[in-house]
Amino acid sequence: MSVNTIEQNQQRQALHDYDEIWLFGYGSLIYKVDFAFIQQSPGFISGWQRRFWQGSHDHRGTLEQPGRVVTLIPAAGMHCFGMAYQVTADVFEHLDHREKNGYLRHEVVITLTDKKQSREVLGLIYIADESNEAYLGPASEREIAEHIANSSGPSGENSEYLLSLAKSLRELGAVDDHVFNIERYLRK
Ligand code: BEZ
């Protein structure tokens, strides 16, 4: 797969066929909301786990020294908590560009957990799987923390990405041992 996924994403879903379009954010989309939305709700998706296994050439690292950012890996029985946004189709023009470094859009069932509207909706997520050229794959949480501590790119320090994600997960009341362990190593 090419490292630039803009064109592939534009051909993946017929967004105009959806009654409502929901987007699920599990990484920077939780705390960097630079797009318009109709409503938002905390939520989770089932069967997926967040991992700092994707390389970032364009935001938190460079081509020569990629940073590490999150993607999702299949994990039966697990839940991944994040934030869901109801959006309009045009938002994906911006997001396909923002998340072009190996991420493809996938359909997923999102469980919204807002007190006022607990329900399941069909939505979209961006996932970077092992077939993309920027994929870095597993490493120990200590090694990942060290890697993050030494990386930065056009969007800023890689450590700021990790700390912002950990903070926003805490604010959501979500527990993610992988993210919190790496945060702990980074702060040491
Ligand atoms: C997310 O927050 O869901 C996300 C952000 C960047 C790339 C992929 C996913």
Side-chain angles (χ1 to χ4, degrees), residues 23-75:
L23 164 71
F24 182 76
Y26 59 89
S28 60
L29 292 177
I30 303 178
Y31 65 85
K32 186 178 176 199
V33 188
D34 57 357
F35 52 89
F37 60 86
I38 299 159
Q39 57 177 322
Q40 72 184 133
S41 167
F44 65 84
I45 56 174
S46 300
W48 295 96
Q49 240 173 7
R50 199 174 353 242
R51 286 290 177 266
F52 270 89
W53 290 4
Q54 174 66 2
S56 174
H57 300 158
D58 55 348
H59 286 299
R60 301 294 176 162
T62 61
L63 209 48
E64 298 74 36
Q65 260 189 291
R68 270 192 182 258
V69 291
V70 288
T71 185
L72 293 176
I73 58 160

Side-chain angles (χ1 to χ4, degrees), residues 51 139-146 177-186:
R51 286 290 177 266
S140 73
E141 288 165 347
R142 189 189 292 271
E143 284 166 334
I144 291 176
E146 234 178 84
D177 289 343
H178 177 70
V179 175
F180 295 160
N181 286 341
I182 295 169
E183 180 196 30
R184 209 178 53 248
Y185 284 124
L186 183 101

Side-chain angles (χ1 to χ4, degrees), residues 150-161:
N150 292 309
S151 302
S152 65
S155 298
E157 304 277 322
N158 204 169
S159 56
E160 184 202 351
Y161 172 103

Side-chain angles (χ1 to χ4, degrees), residues 80-101:
C80 174
F81 289 85
M83 183 63 80
Y85 305 90
Q86 190 193 350
V87 295
T88 52
D90 53 299
V91 160
F92 289 91
E93 280 169 36
H94 165 62
L95 291 178
D96 287 351
H97 188 268
R98 175 177 148 180
E99 309 308 350
K100 64 183 183 306
N101 198 195

